[in-house]
Amino acid sequence: MDELDTRIISLLQEDGRASNAGIAREVGVSEGTVRRRLKQLIEEELIRVVALLDHSKLGYASEALVGVRVAPDKVTEVAERMGSLEEVNWVAETTGSFDIFAWTTLETSSDLGIFLRTKIGTIPGVQRTETFVNLSVKKRWYGTALKS
């Protein structure tokens, strides 16, 4: 990946619907060059172009990060099981006080409580959870800073 790829990706992170022609004008290359670069980045699975929902605008008022402590021999199994739950948007195995973190969105805080007790809490190997409820989201950015 070179500086041109990085610039193309940065523009798409700002506006995922940016046209190849618009990107080409912005970075100073032909539209065909942008098209080829994007095709290669997608084929090499360096990027995915997707639509991301803003759950809060769809009535999901309860957004939380759930830290989960798990029996050492069950971490991957629990993470995979959590990843299959429709309420879970993102799951990562981690180091530190928790073995797994999951980001979840539900319609109400009551729904969050039910979800924690009946879905997460019943997975074999789960020892403890701690839930961090979002009070207010100040930044929602799905990209990452790229070095050019």
Side-chain angles (χ1 to χ4, degrees):
M1 202 168 80
D2 62 13
E3 183 179 344
L4 178 57
D5 292 330
T6 300
R7 291 177 65 203
I8 291 169
I9 292 168
S10 292
L11 290 169
L12 282 172
Q13 287 177 319
E14 290 176 27
D15 178 5
R17 296 180 61 190
S19 69
N20 290 347
I23 293 170
R25 278 191 302 278
E26 193 75 28
V27 299
V29 298
S30 72
E31 181 180 355
T33 297
V34 170
R35 191 177 329 102
R36 280 189 301 280
R37 292 292 186 109
L38 281 173
K39 183 177 185 233
Q40 183 177 358
L41 290 166
I42 292 167
E43 284 175 355
E44 292 176 2
E45 297 182 352
L46 291 169
I47 66 168
R48 287 186 300 167
V49 180
V50 298
L52 296 170
L53 293 171
D54 183 341
H55 292 90
S56 66
K57 293 186 178 173
L58 296 172
Y60 292 83
S62 184
E63 184 174 4
L65 190 62
V66 181
V68 184
R69 189 168 294 153
V70 179
D73 62 332
K74 300 280 188 195
V75 175
T76 299
E77 182 182 324
V78 171
E80 288 173 357
R81 186 124 172 236
M82 289 176 65
S84 72
L85 299 173
E86 69 180 64
E87 299 89 348
V88 174
N89 304 304
W90 170 89
V91 177
E93 293 179 21
T94 61
T95 62
S97 299
F98 296 98
D99 303 299
I100 300 169
F101 272 101
W103 169 45
T104 183
T105 49
L106 293 109
E107 290 185 17
T108 67
S109 57
S110 178
D111 292 336
L112 175 60
I114 293 166
F115 167 76
L116 292 169
R117 287 187 304 276
T118 65
K119 294 202 177 175
I120 300 293
T122 61
I123 298 173
V126 170
Q127 296 175 336
R128 176 181 176 270
T129 65
E130 186 171 342
T131 306
F132 305 87
V133 176
N134 292 354
L135 300 176
S136 172
V137 176
K138 301 300 182 196
K139 180 178 181 180
R140 195 177 295 276
W141 176 249
Y142 300 101
T144 184
L146 296 173
K147 296 177 184 176
S148 51

